[in-house]
PDB file of all heavy atoms in Angstrom:
ATOM      1  N   ILE A  92      13.067   9.682 -41.093  1.00 96.00           N
ATOM      2  CA  ILE A  92      11.906   8.749 -41.307  1.00 96.00           C
ATOM      3  C   ILE A  92      10.655   9.413 -41.527  1.00 96.00           C
ATOM      4  O   ILE A  92       9.889   9.241 -42.463  1.00 96.00           O
ATOM      5  CB  ILE A  92      11.837   7.665 -40.191  1.00 96.00           C
ATOM      6  CG1 ILE A  92      13.128   6.744 -40.110  1.00 96.00           C
ATOM      7  CG2 ILE A  92      10.696   6.650 -40.487  1.00 96.00           C
ATOM      8  CD1 ILE A  92      13.190   5.749 -39.064  1.00 96.00           C
ATOM      9  N   GLU A 245      24.089   8.132 -35.648  1.00 98.00           N
ATOM     10  CA  GLU A 245      23.421   7.549 -36.762  1.00 98.00           C
ATOM     11  C   GLU A 245      22.732   8.597 -37.482  1.00 98.00           C
ATOM     12  O   GLU A 245      22.636   8.843 -38.617  1.00 98.00           O
ATOM     13  CB  GLU A 245      22.642   6.311 -36.463  1.00 98.00           C
ATOM     14  CG  GLU A 245      22.065   5.599 -37.670  1.00 98.00           C
ATOM     15  CD  GLU A 245      21.290   4.469 -37.457  1.00 98.00           C
ATOM     16  OE1 GLU A 245      21.473   3.815 -36.344  1.00 98.00           O
ATOM     17  OE2 GLU A 245      20.425   3.998 -38.235  1.00 98.00           O
ATOM     18  N   LEU A 316      14.822   8.016 -35.188  1.00 98.00           N
ATOM     19  CA  LEU A 316      14.895   6.620 -35.612  1.00 98.00           C
ATOM     20  C   LEU A 316      13.865   5.767 -34.796  1.00 98.00           C
ATOM     21  O   LEU A 316      13.819   4.549 -34.965  1.00 98.00           O
ATOM     22  CB  LEU A 316      16.181   6.107 -35.484  1.00 98.00           C
ATOM     23  CG  LEU A 316      17.214   6.687 -36.476  1.00 98.00           C
ATOM     24  CD1 LEU A 316      18.701   6.414 -36.042  1.00 98.00           C
ATOM     25  CD2 LEU A 316      17.031   6.024 -37.881  1.00 98.00           C
ATOM     26  N   ALA A 319      11.833   2.867 -36.341  1.00 98.00           N
ATOM     27  CA  ALA A 319      12.677   1.632 -36.671  1.00 98.00           C
ATOM     28  C   ALA A 319      13.143   0.954 -35.491  1.00 98.00           C
ATOM     29  O   ALA A 319      13.208  -0.337 -35.405  1.00 98.00           O
ATOM     30  CB  ALA A 319      13.868   2.117 -37.489  1.00 98.00           C
ATOM     31  N   ILE A 320      13.368   1.659 -34.433  1.00 98.00           N
ATOM     32  CA  ILE A 320      13.840   1.112 -33.171  1.00 98.00           C
ATOM     33  C   ILE A 320      12.710   0.249 -32.521  1.00 98.00           C
ATOM     34  O   ILE A 320      12.846  -0.883 -32.023  1.00 98.00           O
ATOM     35  CB  ILE A 320      14.236   2.218 -32.175  1.00 98.00           C
ATOM     36  CG1 ILE A 320      15.547   2.795 -32.652  1.00 98.00           C
ATOM     37  CG2 ILE A 320      14.546   1.688 -30.785  1.00 98.00           C
ATOM     38  CD1 ILE A 320      15.829   4.260 -32.023  1.00 98.00           C
ATOM     39  N   GLU A 322      10.407  -1.333 -34.183  1.00 98.00           N
ATOM     40  CA  GLU A 322      10.358  -2.539 -34.952  1.00 98.00           C
ATOM     41  C   GLU A 322      11.403  -3.528 -34.520  1.00 98.00           C
ATOM     42  O   GLU A 322      11.111  -4.699 -34.416  1.00 98.00           O
ATOM     43  CB  GLU A 322      10.636  -2.104 -36.534  1.00 98.00           C
ATOM     44  CG  GLU A 322      10.710  -3.110 -37.531  1.00 98.00           C
ATOM     45  CD  GLU A 322      10.841  -2.428 -38.821  1.00 98.00           C
ATOM     46  OE1 GLU A 322      11.852  -2.038 -39.210  1.00 98.00           O
ATOM     47  OE2 GLU A 322       9.788  -2.402 -39.687  1.00 98.00           O
ATOM     48  N   ARG A 323      12.635  -3.031 -34.258  1.00 98.00           N
ATOM     49  CA  ARG A 323      13.641  -4.053 -33.759  1.00 98.00           C
ATOM     50  C   ARG A 323      13.157  -4.626 -32.378  1.00 98.00           C
ATOM     51  O   ARG A 323      13.538  -5.676 -32.030  1.00 98.00           O
ATOM     52  CB  ARG A 323      15.000  -3.392 -33.770  1.00 98.00           C
ATOM     53  CG  ARG A 323      16.097  -4.522 -33.547  1.00 98.00           C
ATOM     54  CD  ARG A 323      17.429  -3.958 -33.747  1.00 98.00           C
ATOM     55  NE  ARG A 323      17.926  -3.922 -35.106  1.00 98.00           N
ATOM     56  CZ  ARG A 323      18.461  -4.998 -35.728  1.00 98.00           C
ATOM     57  NH1 ARG A 323      18.710  -6.135 -35.048  1.00 98.00           N
ATOM     58  NH2 ARG A 323      18.790  -5.005 -37.025  1.00 98.00           N
ATOM     59  N   ALA A 353      18.877   5.919 -31.859  1.00 98.00           N
ATOM     60  CA  ALA A 353      19.579   4.626 -31.943  1.00 98.00           C
ATOM     61  C   ALA A 353      20.582   4.509 -30.741  1.00 98.00           C
ATOM     62  O   ALA A 353      21.175   5.575 -30.391  1.00 98.00           O
ATOM     63  CB  ALA A 353      20.363   4.546 -33.217  1.00 98.00           C
ATOM     64  N   GLY A 356      22.101  -1.911 -29.896  1.00 99.00           N
ATOM     65  CA  GLY A 356      21.075  -2.782 -29.674  1.00 99.00           C
ATOM     66  C   GLY A 356      19.712  -2.486 -30.319  1.00 99.00           C
ATOM     67  O   GLY A 356      18.988  -3.255 -30.665  1.00 99.00           O
ATOM     68  N   PHE A 357      19.574  -1.013 -30.534  1.00 98.00           N
ATOM     69  CA  PHE A 357      18.546  -0.470 -31.222  1.00 98.00           C
ATOM     70  C   PHE A 357      17.096  -1.037 -30.932  1.00 98.00           C
ATOM     71  O   PHE A 357      16.383  -1.380 -31.864  1.00 98.00           O
ATOM     72  CB  PHE A 357      18.916  -0.732 -32.788  1.00 98.00           C
ATOM     73  CG  PHE A 357      18.330   0.233 -33.781  1.00 98.00           C
ATOM     74  CD1 PHE A 357      18.739   1.508 -33.976  1.00 98.00           C
ATOM     75  CD2 PHE A 357      17.233  -0.092 -34.517  1.00 98.00           C
ATOM     76  CE1 PHE A 357      18.331   2.436 -34.866  1.00 98.00           C
ATOM     77  CE2 PHE A 357      16.724   0.728 -35.526  1.00 98.00           C
ATOM     78  CZ  PHE A 357      17.223   2.072 -35.617  1.00 98.00           C
ATOM     79  N   SER A 451      21.303  -7.555 -39.824  1.00 98.00           N
ATOM     80  CA  SER A 451      20.838  -6.790 -41.019  1.00 98.00           C
ATOM     81  C   SER A 451      20.052  -5.680 -40.523  1.00 98.00           C
ATOM     82  O   SER A 451      19.500  -5.738 -39.384  1.00 98.00           O
ATOM     83  CB  SER A 451      19.886  -7.741 -41.900  1.00 98.00           C
ATOM     84  OG  SER A 451      20.650  -8.720 -42.481  1.00 98.00           O
ATOM     85  N   PHE A 452      20.049  -4.599 -41.333  1.00 98.00           N
ATOM     86  CA  PHE A 452      19.112  -3.567 -41.063  1.00 98.00           C
ATOM     87  C   PHE A 452      17.683  -4.049 -41.178  1.00 98.00           C
ATOM     88  O   PHE A 452      17.482  -4.830 -42.226  1.00 98.00           O
ATOM     89  CB  PHE A 452      19.272  -2.448 -42.052  1.00 98.00           C
ATOM     90  CG  PHE A 452      20.438  -1.621 -41.909  1.00 98.00           C
ATOM     91  CD1 PHE A 452      21.646  -1.829 -42.467  1.00 98.00           C
ATOM     92  CD2 PHE A 452      20.448  -0.449 -40.969  1.00 98.00           C
ATOM     93  CE1 PHE A 452      22.799  -1.055 -42.332  1.00 98.00           C
ATOM     94  CE2 PHE A 452      21.512   0.373 -40.762  1.00 98.00           C
ATOM     95  CZ  PHE A 452      22.742   0.062 -41.443  1.00 98.00           C
ATOM     96  N   THR A 453      16.844  -3.775 -40.328  1.00 98.00           N
ATOM     97  CA  THR A 453      15.477  -4.334 -40.451  1.00 98.00           C
ATOM     98  C   THR A 453      14.827  -3.685 -41.769  1.00 98.00           C
ATOM     99  O   THR A 453      13.810  -4.327 -42.316  1.00 98.00           O
ATOM    100  CB  THR A 453      14.622  -4.024 -39.228  1.00 98.00           C
ATOM    101  OG1 THR A 453      14.599  -2.563 -38.909  1.00 98.00           O
ATOM    102  CG2 THR A 453      15.204  -4.738 -38.013  1.00 98.00           C
ATOM    103  N   HIS A 454      15.117  -2.555 -42.044  1.00 98.00           N
ATOM    104  CA  HIS A 454      14.626  -1.921 -43.336  1.00 98.00           C
ATOM    105  C   HIS A 454      15.569  -2.446 -44.443  1.00 98.00           C
ATOM    106  O   HIS A 454      16.749  -2.068 -44.685  1.00 98.00           O
ATOM    107  CB  HIS A 454      14.750  -0.422 -43.271  1.00 98.00           C
ATOM    108  CG  HIS A 454      14.209   0.319 -44.362  1.00 98.00           C
ATOM    109  ND1 HIS A 454      12.913   0.151 -44.770  1.00 98.00           N
ATOM    110  CD2 HIS A 454      14.799   1.361 -45.182  1.00 98.00           C
ATOM    111  CE1 HIS A 454      12.686   0.878 -45.777  1.00 98.00           C
ATOM    112  NE2 HIS A 454      13.835   1.714 -45.987  1.00 98.00           N
ATOM    113  N   LEU A 457      18.331  -0.802 -46.693  1.00 98.00           N
ATOM    114  CA  LEU A 457      19.635  -0.258 -46.200  1.00 98.00           C
ATOM    115  C   LEU A 457      20.681  -1.262 -46.285  1.00 98.00           C
ATOM    116  O   LEU A 457      21.976  -0.968 -46.119  1.00 98.00           O
ATOM    117  CB  LEU A 457      19.428   0.157 -44.792  1.00 98.00           C
ATOM    118  CG  LEU A 457      18.591   1.487 -44.594  1.00 98.00           C
ATOM    119  CD1 LEU A 457      18.423   1.851 -43.085  1.00 98.00           C
ATOM    120  CD2 LEU A 457      19.172   2.659 -45.242  1.00 98.00           C
ATOM    121  N   PRO A 519      24.024   4.091 -43.015  1.00 98.00           N
ATOM    122  CA  PRO A 519      24.689   4.430 -41.901  1.00 98.00           C
ATOM    123  C   PRO A 519      25.554   3.213 -41.340  1.00 98.00           C
ATOM    124  O   PRO A 519      25.190   2.087 -41.562  1.00 98.00           O
ATOM    125  CB  PRO A 519      23.596   4.811 -40.773  1.00 98.00           C
ATOM    126  CG  PRO A 519      22.424   4.274 -41.351  1.00 98.00           C
ATOM    127  CD  PRO A 519      22.539   4.192 -42.853  1.00 98.00           C
ATOM    128  N   ALA A 521      25.865   1.039 -38.922  1.00 98.00           N
ATOM    129  CA  ALA A 521      24.993   0.676 -37.793  1.00 98.00           C
ATOM    130  C   ALA A 521      24.495  -0.833 -38.011  1.00 98.00           C
ATOM    131  O   ALA A 521      24.885  -1.426 -38.954  1.00 98.00           O
ATOM    132  CB  ALA A 521      23.765   1.675 -37.828  1.00 98.00           C
ATOM    133  N   ALA A 522      23.549  -1.233 -37.064  1.00 98.00           N
ATOM    134  CA  ALA A 522      22.938  -2.445 -37.173  1.00 98.00           C
ATOM    135  C   ALA A 522      24.001  -3.587 -37.133  1.00 98.00           C
ATOM    136  O   ALA A 522      23.663  -4.683 -37.538  1.00 98.00           O
ATOM    137  CB  ALA A 522      22.036  -2.580 -38.421  1.00 98.00           C
ATOM    138  N   SER A 523      25.171  -3.289 -36.609  1.00 98.00           N
ATOM    139  CA  SER A 523      26.236  -4.293 -36.461  1.00 98.00           C
ATOM    140  C   SER A 523      26.627  -4.746 -37.719  1.00 98.00           C
ATOM    141  O   SER A 523      27.292  -5.851 -37.966  1.00 98.00           O
ATOM    142  CB  SER A 523      25.921  -5.492 -35.504  1.00 98.00           C
ATOM    143  OG  SER A 523      25.651  -4.921 -34.237  1.00 98.00           O
ATOM    144  N   PHE A 615      16.546 -11.022 -41.519  1.00 98.00           N
ATOM    145  CA  PHE A 615      17.855 -11.110 -41.115  1.00 98.00           C
ATOM    146  C   PHE A 615      18.721 -12.166 -41.833  1.00 98.00           C
ATOM    147  O   PHE A 615      18.236 -13.117 -42.085  1.00 98.00           O
ATOM    148  CB  PHE A 615      17.945 -11.490 -39.503  1.00 98.00           C
ATOM    149  CG  PHE A 615      17.283 -10.393 -38.673  1.00 98.00           C
ATOM    150  CD1 PHE A 615      16.229 -10.696 -37.890  1.00 98.00           C
ATOM    151  CD2 PHE A 615      17.789  -9.129 -38.697  1.00 98.00           C
ATOM    152  CE1 PHE A 615      15.468  -9.790 -37.057  1.00 98.00           C
ATOM    153  CE2 PHE A 615      17.056  -8.124 -37.860  1.00 98.00           C
ATOM    154  CZ  PHE A 615      15.946  -8.486 -37.144  1.00 98.00           C
ATOM    155  N   GLU A 726      26.827  -5.140 -31.554  1.00 98.00           N
ATOM    156  CA  GLU A 726      25.795  -4.836 -30.660  1.00 98.00           C
ATOM    157  C   GLU A 726      25.431  -5.948 -29.601  1.00 98.00           C
ATOM    158  O   GLU A 726      25.142  -5.777 -28.486  1.00 98.00           O
ATOM    159  CB  GLU A 726      24.531  -4.414 -31.313  1.00 98.00           C
ATOM    160  CG  GLU A 726      24.584  -3.089 -31.999  1.00 98.00           C
ATOM    161  CD  GLU A 726      23.438  -2.911 -33.027  1.00 98.00           C
ATOM    162  OE1 GLU A 726      23.372  -3.571 -34.076  1.00 98.00           O
ATOM    163  OE2 GLU A 726      22.655  -1.983 -32.716  1.00 98.00           O
TER     164      GLU A 726
HETATM  165  N1  HPA B   7      19.651  -1.068 -36.773  1.00 54.66           N
HETATM  166  C1  HPA B   7      20.278  -0.073 -36.568  1.00 54.66           C
HETATM  167  N2  HPA B   7      20.136   1.205 -37.248  1.00 54.66           N
HETATM  168  C2  HPA B   7      19.180   1.160 -38.062  1.00 54.66           C
HETATM  169  C3  HPA B   7      18.317   0.100 -38.323  1.00 54.66           C
HETATM  170  C4  HPA B   7      18.603  -1.093 -37.709  1.00 54.66           C
HETATM  171  O1  HPA B   7      17.881  -2.143 -37.792  1.00 54.66           O
HETATM  172  N3  HPA B   7      17.425   0.466 -39.269  1.00 54.66           N
HETATM  173  C5  HPA B   7      17.652   1.740 -39.533  1.00 54.66           C
HETATM  174  N4  HPA B   7      18.708   2.208 -38.884  1.00 54.66           N
END
Side-chain angles (χ1 to χ4, degrees):
I92 299 179
E245 182 175 340
L316 290 164
I320 294 163
E322 180 175 73
R323 192 171 275 276
F357 205 75
S451 290
F452 285 94
T453 56
H454 186 51
L457 293 175
S523 301
F615 298 119
E726 292 168 290

